[in-house]
Amino acid sequence: MASPVLKHGFFMAFVLTLSALQMASASDPDITTDFLVPQNITTVDGNFFTFTGMRAVVPIDPPTAFKVTKASLAEFPALNGQSVSMAVLEYSAGSVNPPHTHPRASELLFLLYGSLEVGFVDTTNKLFTQTLQAGDMFIFPKGLVHYQYNANATDYAVAISGFGSASAGTVSLPTTVFSTGINSRILAKSFKTTVPTIHTLKRGLIPPKA
């Protein structure tokens, strides 16, 4: 059953995140019309500007794994040209959002419930970390490698992230490096390890069969 904190705080978290994004400089190109309509849309009314995909996570029940529910350009076409998107991130006990980047936007994370260990690495390879409590916010600068980890072994966490782009993009480092066909010998030399070790890492990233 969902926590009362989540039920009453979910909408407020959206409002806070959107307000913060309005103060940030947008990374998407400016548009010369009020909004953009995809060619396949013939009727523009209130439904076009409404996204109902978050209903599935309200109220939020304890997640069984790390899960992201996005409201980006791909899911919500009305965001095109508006330089904003959002995501709800659910962390089961002990789960991690692995190191990744968003090449087209910074990320402003608002922790709604639980606690999170977060961090990012700048271009000088300096690591910045923090342990967040419910109500805290953290900014991940555009394009930098970052992660989130729920170190709590018994309780879950929930966060809402806002992005300064309708299509921030996500580049997962483990997937990009080990699951895109880069030659194992090249990876072994790059990481100063052996080809069998690289093969073991690659096998570990293969999704389990249903």
Side-chain angles (χ1 to χ4, degrees):
M1 187 172 181
S3 163
V5 175
L6 291 178
K7 293 174 69 175
H8 296 294
F10 197 87
F11 175 73
M12 184 57 66
F14 269 105
V15 173
L16 287 171
T17 308
L18 283 174
S19 297
L21 283 171
Q22 288 176 349
M23 295 183 290
S25 59
S27 62
D28 290 349
D30 287 335
I31 60 176
T32 57
T33 57
D34 293 337
F35 48 86
L36 300 176
V37 181
Q39 292 183 347
N40 63 324
I41 300 294
T42 57
T43 301
V44 177
D45 55 17
N47 291 320
F48 175 69
F49 300 99
T50 303
F51 180 71
T52 61
M54 295 300 183
R55 290 180 181 177
V57 300
V58 181
I60 295 176
D61 294 320
T64 57
F66 172 69
K67 177 185 176 183
V68 180
T69 305
K70 297 180 180 180
S72 65
L73 178 60
E75 297 81 18
F76 191 8
L79 295 181
N80 194 11
Q82 302 303 319
S83 301
V84 64
S85 58
M86 301 192 73
V88 175
L89 301 95
E90 304 171 65
Y91 309 81
S92 59
S95 66
V96 62
N97 186 4
H100 61 281
T101 70
H102 302 295
R104 294 184 289 274
S106 56
E107 175 182 357
L108 182 62
L109 181 144
F110 178 90
L111 184 59
L112 183 60
Y113 177 82
S115 62
L116 279 180
E117 294 182 12
V118 302
F120 71 86
V121 179
D122 71 7
T123 55
T124 69
N125 289 327
K126 181 177 180 180
L127 174 64
F128 297 84
T129 63
Q130 185 61 274
T131 299
L132 304 181
Q133 304 299 325
D136 293 346
M137 302 179 81
F138 193 85
I139 184 71
F140 299 103
K142 177 180 176 181
L144 297 185
V145 174
H146 60 281
Y147 64 89
Q148 301 106 33
Y149 171 51
N150 179 13
N152 193 313
T154 59
D155 201 7
Y156 65 105
V158 178
I160 295 176
S161 283
F163 303 90
S165 170
S167 183
T170 300
V171 179
S172 169
L173 269 63
T175 301
T176 300
V177 173
F178 296 106
S179 299
T180 55
I182 299 176
N183 186 282
S184 294
R185 282 193 288 272
I186 293 174
L187 292 176
K189 287 182 177 294
S190 300
F191 287 95
K192 294 179 171 55
T193 186
T194 63
V195 170
T197 297
I198 296 298
H199 288 166
T200 299
L201 291 169
K202 288 184 174 182
R203 285 195 298 270
L205 290 170
I206 298 174
K209 294 183 178 179

